[in-house]
Amino acid sequence: MKEHEINTAEDLQQVFAETRPLSEMHLGEILVNERHLHEDVLDDALLEQRKAPGRRLGDILIEQGLVSKEHIHSALAHKLGIPFIKLGEFDIEPEVLALVPPDIALQYGVLPLMLHGGHLVVAMENPMDWEALEVLRFNTNHSVEPVITSGKDISQALSKHYRLREDREISDMADVIDLSPEQDKNDDIAVHLIEQEAQKKPVVRLVNAIIMQGILHGASDINIRPERNRVNIYYRIDGKLRFSRSLNKSLLAPLVSRIKITGRMDISERRLPQDGHARLTREGNSIDLRISCIPTVNGESVVIRILDKKAGLKPLDGLGLGDWELAQMRRMLSRSYGMLLVTGPTGSGKSTTLYALLNEVRARDPHIITVEDPVEYDMEGVEQIQINPATGYTFAEALRHILRHDPDVVMIGEIRDLETARIANKAALTGHLVLSTLHTNDAASTVTRLLDMGIEPYLLSSTLLGVMAQRLIRLNCPQCLQEEAVDEEMRSALQIAADEVFYRGSGCSACNYTGYHGRVAVTELLPITPEITALVNGGGNTQTIKDAAVQQGMTTLTQNAIALARSGKTSLEEVFSVRLE
């Protein structure tokens, strides 16, 4: 039986009855043999792997878009002689699920499937995760036999099978925790009781499960919102908030207290906002949690920002830039001085772009110093500074000091005021490459915004290398594409012909019935050419600068987004939501 036909427990039992020898071929050879990869392409990938010891060949091939994850999983299953399965139709006995606690299943991304010949069969994406296998052996007192499945299948199955168990545990917890609103607001005795509840295993497991579900679903934020009679949990996935579940209101105090303990915050302080930080490691990958807690009339509200270093740190050519934009950006980054700005609203991926730019210039081994609020990702070989406005250590104050610290490249998290803008401009003028962000709508308006802030035109035109405006746009789920119904108003606004056909996802289990899976940046890049410099010095307005930039090759953000929709990668509805014209 072929690996891709293993969909049920009966299929898997049949495969276990067969002999599955290990393959002596390497992973790349199997991919070539199965005609998923050409030999020349494999040689190039192996050469790149030798340049970066420790990187897995499969990761390199997937990042370059040469093979799919499913091809890698199938080839790995072939090599190791273990089954590659689909979890969609698997029925799992409750007593088998009970063998593995939810927090372990979620943390290591494993799902128990069945008991076979005295072995516990578990599905996992990486069957060579020895730490996970050892933890399972220790906690279940069973020898473990892994089978391979996709990360997406694991995530969906964990959510499906462990949800009922969590809900039963949560219901039991709500029955035994009884903290009245009056107690919750004042006495020290109540604080002591809440701390005791926060340290109990059910509460610890609940917090761990909420966080791990967010990581598995690729959420950027977890929202815990108290209402009058309940607590709602939301995940922000692909930029959109998705409701997950409601909890009994009596769970709010121990839940928030446990999160505060995790983030090293003061659990006795419930009247003032607090910020915290925690870090966890999953499959060798470091994930930072930024925790914000604020009091509301219904209780304390918590937002946990998930910063996955592996997902957030991308190479420049992994941002989705077009060939023209990529060439122009690399030309600007090759300069030894000047200022390059990234602009867009909150949540448009500016920080990810800044880190990608830093990653590009880091290859030259310059002295890089960053000033951030907060420091989102730790970068090796980069000196990163966290500002603290409460103590007067602002962007401007930090910049004054670091310019005497011999940097070659300076990254400023955000230009918020005239003082910071002037120091950044001065740094660019005195031989430093400055990278920063600004909150403006498009690339051309960034120039006029800086002039309005008080930067002299002749100074700005001497230092500014270019401006990139960006938005994040959701990508269609490839599993459920269908023709999109586009209304006339949308076609008219975007100047789209009536007979043009577009596509969008209809919604399926693979995309959690949203029709979208993943996001990509759409951009417009405005290089500062001599013609643009003349317009800046002459006091040209936003529209004049934009028109000149388009004549010199700039493709607007809206047009880049429409091109993405024409390729079927996103819907016209998404384009309409991020349009600038």
Side-chain angles (χ1 to χ4, degrees):
M1 181 175 292
K2 295 178 182 178
E3 282 82 6
H4 68 266
E5 294 177 350
I6 305 173
N7 296 306
T8 66
E10 291 74 22
D11 293 343
L12 190 54
Q13 292 278 12
Q14 184 178 338
V15 170
F16 280 141
E18 302 170 357
T19 302
R20 304 184 309 279
L22 290 169
S23 172
E24 295 183 359
M25 289 193 293
H26 295 296
L27 182 72
E29 291 174 321
I30 295 171
L31 290 167
V32 170
N33 193 50
E34 293 179 349
R35 299 184 178 180
H36 297 313
L37 198 64
H38 194 274
E39 285 187 25
D40 293 342
V41 176
L42 174 61
D43 290 340
D44 292 340
L46 289 171
L47 182 61
E48 183 167 338
Q49 185 186 30
R50 284 194 286 273
K51 293 178 182 176
R55 288 193 71 192
R56 292 184 294 190
L57 176 64
D59 291 339
I60 294 171
L61 294 171
I62 291 168
E63 284 174 14
Q64 294 180 350
L66 299 171
V67 296
S68 68
K69 281 190 175 182
E70 186 164 324
H71 291 150
I72 295 294
H73 294 142
S74 178
L76 188 60
H78 184 119
K79 176 174 174 56
L80 299 176
I82 60 179
F84 171 56
I85 67 172
K86 299 280 190 178
L87 291 175
E89 299 176 30
F90 247 89
D91 291 322
I92 306 172
E93 298 295 330
E95 55 268 25
V96 174
L97 283 173
L99 290 172
V100 180
D103 52 333
I104 290 177
L106 290 165
Q107 180 177 351
Y108 291 99
V110 297
L111 183 74
L113 298 179
M114 64 171 72
L115 288 169
H116 176 77
H119 301 284
L120 176 64
V121 180
V122 295
M124 53 201 305
E125 188 174 16
N126 178 12
M128 295 182 290
D129 186 345
W130 309 122
E131 181 186 349
L133 294 172
E134 189 57 40
V135 168
L136 287 169
R137 288 190 195 100
F138 179 80
N139 281 274
T140 64
N141 289 319
H142 284 83
S143 58
V144 179
E145 182 159 355
V147 297
I148 298 179
T149 191
S150 69
K152 185 188 297 182
D153 270 13
I154 283 280
S155 176
Q156 291 169 357
L158 286 172
S159 181
K160 171 186 172 184
H161 291 292
Y162 278 100
R163 180 66 177 267
L164 291 175
R165 286 188 63 198
E166 288 176 17
D167 287 348
R168 284 197 297 271
E169 286 188 3
I170 289 166
S171 177
D172 293 341
M173 288 161 56
D175 290 339
V176 300
I177 297 174
D178 183 19
L179 294 165
S180 67
E182 290 76 18
Q183 284 180 314
D184 193 14
K185 284 180 182 176
N186 34 53
D187 2 293
D188 292 334
I189 297 174
V191 171
H192 178 64
L193 290 173
I194 293 169
E195 185 173 6
Q196 283 184 329
E197 294 295 340
Q199 301 282 18
K200 289 183 177 178
K201 278 191 175 180
V203 177
V204 173
R205 283 205 302 268
L206 174 59
V207 171
N208 289 348
I210 288 171
I211 292 172
M212 292 311 300
Q213 285 281 12
I215 293 170
L216 286 171
H217 283 94
S220 60
D221 300 90
I222 303 168
N223 284 237
I224 301 171
R225 297 190 196 170
E227 296 193 4
R228 185 181 297 274
N229 298 312
R230 63 183 183 273
V231 181
N232 290 334
I233 310 294
Y234 297 85
Y235 294 110
R236 187 175 293 280
I237 301 172
D238 293 337
K240 301 292 183 181
L241 276 178
R242 297 183 192 173
F243 174 78
S244 174
R245 65 169 56 158
S246 288
L247 305 177
N248 190 292
K249 186 64 178 287
S250 64
L251 291 172
L252 178 64
L255 181 65
V256 172
S257 293
R258 179 61 199 170
I259 292 170
K260 286 182 176 179
I261 290 169
T262 303
R264 298 180 180 86
M265 294 183 277
D266 182 0
I267 68 166
S268 66
E269 179 56 74
R270 299 194 292 276
R271 296 179 179 86
L272 295 173
Q274 292 190 70
D275 292 325
H277 169 258
R279 177 173 293 174
L280 59 89
T281 302
R282 181 171 180 267
E283 297 179 356
N285 186 36
S286 180
I287 298 172
D288 280 355
L289 305 176
R290 307 287 180 181
I291 305 167
S292 171
C293 185
I294 61 172
T296 73
V297 293
N298 291 316
E300 289 183 282
S301 172
V302 178
V303 172
I304 302 172
R305 168 66 59 88
I306 301 172
L307 298 169
D308 187 339
K309 185 173 182 179
K310 187 176 180 181
L313 292 177
K314 297 182 178 181
L316 185 60
D317 53 11
L319 294 179
L321 299 177
D323 292 341
W324 184 84
E325 285 88 356
L326 194 58
Q328 290 291 328
M329 186 64 79
R330 285 197 163 122
R331 182 184 62 80
M332 296 176 206
L333 291 173
S334 68
R335 300 284 294 274
S336 59
Y337 69 93
M339 186 162 59
L340 180 55
L341 300 176
V342 182
T343 184
T346 301
S348 60
K350 297 189 299 296
S351 294
T352 298
T353 297
L354 275 187
Y355 279 101
L357 299 180
L358 281 183
N359 214 26
E360 186 79 9
V361 300
R362 195 170 53 160
R364 305 199 302 260
D365 199 26
H367 183 194
I368 304 173
I369 302 181
T370 74
V371 186
E372 305 172 63
D373 182 26
V375 174
E376 294 196 6
Y377 300 103
D378 296 333
M379 284 192 81
E380 211 172 302
V382 176
E383 293 188 295
Q384 296 172 277
I385 297 171
Q386 167 80 53
I387 70 163
N388 187 355
T391 62
Y393 195 51
T394 61
F395 278 114
E397 186 65 26
L399 280 170
R400 288 193 192 93
H401 289 90
I402 68 172
L403 291 181
R404 295 192 291 269
H405 208 67
D406 190 34
D408 298 305
V409 179
V410 177
M411 191 268 267
I412 307 165
E414 182 185 344
I415 294 177
R416 295 177 178 173
D417 51 45
L418 175 59
E419 188 177 13
T420 305
R422 280 182 170 159
I423 297 173
N425 196 73
K426 179 182 177 183
L429 199 62
T430 54
H432 306 85
L433 181 62
V434 178
L435 311 174
S436 190
T437 71
L438 202 65
H439 283 279
T440 54
N441 286 328
D442 61 9
S445 63
T446 302
V447 178
T448 52
R449 168 74 176 133
L450 288 168
L451 295 175
D452 291 341
M453 287 174 71
I455 301 296
E456 292 80 358
Y458 73 94
L459 288 177
L460 183 62
S461 62
S462 300
T463 58
L464 191 60
L465 299 173
V467 182
M468 187 167 78
Q470 68 178 63
R471 300 287 189 278
L472 290 178
I473 194 168
R474 291 185 295 173
L475 295 172
N476 285 331
C477 172
Q479 306 296 325
C480 57
L481 271 185
Q482 66 175 22
E483 190 172 324
E484 182 181 12
V486 182
D487 61 49
E488 290 305 316
E489 181 185 347
M490 197 181 296
R491 287 184 184 273
S492 176
L494 296 173
Q495 298 180 8
I496 300 293
D499 58 348
E500 271 202 81
V501 177
F502 295 90
Y503 296 89
R504 67 155 295 165
S506 59
C508 64
S509 59
C511 59
N512 202 21
Y513 300 96
T514 63
Y516 297 100
H517 185 70
R519 289 190 296 174
V520 70
V522 286
T523 64
E524 63 180 27
L525 179 61
L526 190 161
I528 304 301
T529 62
E531 292 78 9
I532 301 293
T533 297
L535 289 173
V536 173
N537 288 331
N541 59 32
T542 298
Q543 191 60 50
T544 305
I545 294 172
K546 179 179 178 179
D547 291 343
V550 169
Q551 288 176 6
Q552 292 177 32
M554 182 182 85
T555 304
T556 67
L557 186 148
T558 304
Q559 291 304 314
N560 276 328
I562 290 173
L564 205 64
R566 284 181 171 136
S567 70
K569 293 181 180 178
T570 191
S571 67
L572 208 61
E573 180 184 27
E574 274 293 289
V575 174
F576 193 69
S577 71
V578 301
R579 72 195 189 283
L580 296 184
E581 286 95 45

